[in-house]
């Protein structure tokens, strides 16, 4: 197969921030075409959104069920489905798409509950199809360089992990002001049992495990809802224990007034430390008591996986959309290889999947359990 992959989208219509991000990321490399979609919860809005995207009206569907059924019968049917809905609408379309032979790329967190995530893994395994989860911060080249440095032993055995994700956009009761993005993220019926923990805490958890290669084994959480009238958490501080004996601190907040999107991770080992900030994504600092080294894209010798995810000449900022696009590109190339009966490379397989999704759901449930518990420490493991 030497054509572009054909993509259908569930959600992401008018007023949906993340839908436009996914479409842009999918299009950057010219390997994916958006050909159809069920873009909204109503048929009328889906059609209108499709028209604005210049999609064939015959392929703008009223809901995901119609899209999957009708696309299954087309000779030029879609190859992959991108799911960009609120959390409660991830599992059902992902399951149906996979069962009808379509590969799936889904926004995070992977499902509404941990039980759904486990069921989805069974479907993925039974179909043998490819599933990707857009923990997009793992797509940054300097995040991949940090991971490579840890793997190489450059900072020695890890002792301490500090990861933080403060935002300030929910410092007030925005969900009561008609703000769509705030409304669903703070609604237990659409977001699940967690607010900030599910929305951004899972990114911090995923980044910590991705870079270090370690697994969280237990945690102790202090979970808060500061804004009066809000139904879900908007702030949390979590102590972490890892499987090599390292200790960690994770905090996330959406009421940190004045903060924008200040995701940051610091990893300290016996021989040195690493420091990366999402708001300055082209810079990775490798430091110890005797030296400071700064890594930048396309400057000096970098790990092959980091280099493979660099798109621009040095001095040109690579940001959020490019990192997102790296997830889509690696997913697309893996799908194409498998459709051709070929084995994807390590570089192409470098994207989050269902296992990372299950870890994220386990993190959400464990943090909320700990936050509601008097004993506090909770084992981070599947029941």
């Amino acid at each position: 197969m030497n054509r572009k992959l054909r993509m259908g989208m569930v959600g992401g219509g008018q007023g949906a921030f993340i839908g436009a991000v996914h479409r842009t990321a999918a299009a950057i490399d010219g390997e994916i075409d958006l050909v159809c979609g069920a873009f909204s919860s109503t048929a009328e809005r889906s059609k209108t959104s499709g028209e604005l995207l210049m999609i064939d009206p015959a392929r703008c569907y009223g809901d995901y069920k119609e899209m999957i059924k009708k696309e299954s019968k087309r000779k030029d049917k879609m190859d992959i489905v991108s799911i960009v809905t609120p959390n409660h609408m991830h599992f059902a379309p992902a399951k149906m798409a996979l069962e009808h032979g379509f590969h799936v790329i889904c926004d995070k967190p992977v499902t509404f509950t941990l039980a759904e995530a486990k069921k989805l893994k069974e479907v993925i395994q039974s179909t043998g199809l490819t599933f990707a989860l857009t923990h997009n911060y793992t797509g940054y080249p300097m995040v991949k360089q940090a991971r490579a440095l840890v793997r190489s032993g450059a900072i020695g055995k890890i002792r301490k992990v500090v990861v933080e994700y403060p935002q300030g956009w929910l410092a007030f009761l925005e969900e009561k002001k008609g703000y769509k993005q705030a409304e669903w993220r703070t609604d237990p019926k659409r977001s699940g049992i967690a607010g900030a923990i599910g929305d951004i805490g899972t990114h911090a958890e995923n980044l910590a495990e991705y870079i270090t290669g370690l697994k969280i084994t237990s945690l102790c959480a202090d979970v808060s809802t500061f804004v009066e009238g809000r139904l879900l958490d908007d702030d949390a501080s979590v102590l972490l224990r890892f499987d090599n004996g390292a200790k960690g601190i994770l905090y996330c907040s959406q009421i940190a007034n004045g903060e924008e999107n200040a995701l940051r991770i610091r990893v300290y080992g016996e021989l040195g430390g690493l420091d990366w900030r999402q708001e300055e994504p082209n810079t990775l600092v490798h430091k110890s008591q005797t030296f400071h080294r700064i890594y930048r894209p396309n400057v000096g010798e970098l790990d092959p996986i980091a280099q493979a995810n660099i798109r621009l000449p040095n001095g040109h900022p690579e940001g959020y959309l490019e990192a997102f696009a790296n997830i889509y590109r690696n997913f697309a190339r893996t799908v194409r290889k498998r459709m051709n009966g070929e084995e994807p490379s390590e570089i192409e397989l470098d994207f989050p999947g269902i296992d990372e999704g299950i870890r994220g759901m386990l993190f959400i449930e464990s943090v909320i359990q700990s936050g509601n518990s008097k004993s506090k420490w909770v084992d981070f493991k599947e029941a």
Side-chain angles (χ1 to χ4, degrees):
M1 187 188 76
N2 59 0
R3 59 170 173 81
K4 293 184 180 182
L5 292 179
R6 295 186 284 259
M7 184 174 83
M9 179 167 278
V10 181
Q14 289 176 286
F17 157 73
I18 204 65
V21 171
H22 279 258
R23 287 190 292 272
T24 302
I28 282 178
D29 289 289
E31 298 188 19
I32 299 172
D33 272 340
L34 177 66
V35 299
C36 64
F39 298 106
S40 185
S41 56
T42 70
E44 182 179 353
R45 286 204 299 268
S46 180
K47 296 282 185 183
T48 301
S49 295
E51 288 174 5
L52 292 172
L53 294 168
M54 292 179 281
I55 303 297
D56 178 356
R59 301 180 81 172
C60 296
Y61 301 103
D63 59 38
Y64 74 87
K65 293 179 182 178
E66 181 189 10
M67 182 182 81
I68 292 170
K69 288 177 181 177
K70 289 187 175 179
E71 286 293 317
S72 297
K73 298 175 182 177
R74 295 181 65 106
K75 289 184 179 180
D76 61 346
K77 63 185 177 182
M78 63 185 179
D79 303 298
I80 61 177
V81 175
S82 174
I83 300 172
V84 297
T85 58
N87 307 348
H88 72 299
M89 283 296 295
H90 287 182
F91 174 72
K95 179 176 181 290
M96 185 175 179
L98 290 161
E99 290 174 341
H100 282 74
F102 300 115
H103 306 271
V104 172
I105 184 165
C106 183
D107 207 31
K108 45 57 60 189
V110 65
T111 50
F112 195 63
T113 66
L114 177 59
E116 283 184 347
K118 292 178 180 179
K119 288 179 184 176
L120 188 60
K121 181 174 182 176
E122 293 175 1
V123 176
I124 294 166
Q125 290 176 329
S126 66
T127 61
L129 295 170
T130 303
F131 178 87
L133 186 66
T134 53
H135 272 301
N136 54 293
Y137 298 111
T138 64
Y140 281 104
M142 292 301 94
V143 166
K144 297 185 183 299
Q145 180 65 22
R147 186 187 196 205
L149 288 169
V150 170
R151 285 180 165 184
S152 73
I155 66 169
K157 181 181 178 181
I158 294 172
R159 292 170 167 170
K160 190 78 173 180
V161 180
V162 182
V163 60
E164 60 195 65
Y165 200 158
Q167 298 175 334
W169 72 290
L170 290 178
F172 303 99
L173 202 62
E174 303 296 337
E175 56 266 41
K176 300 298 183 182
K177 302 176 183 178
Y179 189 0
K180 182 177 179 179
Q181 300 305 317
E183 286 175 357
W184 78 259
R185 283 177 170 83
T186 58
D187 179 4
K189 294 180 180 178
R190 289 179 283 176
S191 184
I193 62 173
I197 281 292
D199 190 24
I200 59 175
T202 51
H203 273 309
E205 167 267 326
N206 176 257
L207 192 65
E209 292 197 337
Y210 180 80
I211 288 176
T212 66
L214 303 177
K215 299 296 183 186
I216 299 166
T217 57
S218 59
L219 56 80
C220 174
D222 182 14
V223 181
S224 302
T225 304
F226 279 102
V227 176
E228 187 175 352
R230 181 160 290 154
L231 300 179
L232 293 173
D233 60 278
D234 50 27
D235 182 90
S237 301
V238 188
L239 298 176
L240 307 172
R241 292 172 178 165
F242 291 90
D243 55 3
N244 76 329
K247 303 294 178 69
I249 301 168
L250 181 155
Y251 91 84
C252 65
S253 180
Q254 292 178 314
I255 51 85
N257 202 326
E259 294 291 353
E260 297 175 7
N261 200 60
L263 175 60
R264 181 182 185 183
I265 185 167
R266 284 160 286 178
V267 181
Y268 302 103
E270 293 175 342
L271 305 178
L274 300 171
D275 188 352
W276 180 82
R277 299 170 57 209
Q278 194 273 155
E279 292 182 343
E280 298 288 341
N282 272 22
T283 300
L284 170 67
V285 179
H286 178 196
K287 53 191 174 182
S288 76
Q289 297 300 317
T290 58
F291 71 87
H292 269 55
R293 177 175 180 180
I294 295 175
Y295 286 90
R296 303 275 293 177
N298 278 324
V299 178
E301 187 174 337
L302 299 172
D303 184 81
I305 289 184
Q307 192 65 52
N309 287 276
I310 296 170
R311 299 168 172 276
L312 302 172
N314 54 313
H316 294 73
E318 300 208 34
Y320 182 77
L321 291 173
E322 289 86 355
F324 227 111
N326 286 338
I327 304 293
Y328 264 91
R329 182 189 61 192
N330 295 345
F331 166 71
R333 292 181 179 177
T334 293
V335 168
R336 183 175 287 106
K337 283 278 187 77
R338 288 174 173 168
M339 291 175 74
N340 289 336
E342 301 169 359
E343 188 63 31
S345 69
E346 181 184 3
I347 290 173
E348 291 160 339
L349 288 167
D350 183 27
F351 56 85
I354 188 59
D355 288 334
E356 287 81 2
I358 289 174
R359 295 288 295 175
M361 294 310 301
L362 183 59
F363 176 75
I364 290 170
E365 295 201 0
S366 298
V367 168
I368 298 302
Q369 179 187 345
S370 174
N372 292 333
S373 168
K374 292 182 180 179
S375 59
K376 288 303 178 186
W377 281 100
V378 171
D379 288 340
F380 191 87
K381 61 182 180 182
E382 296 181 37

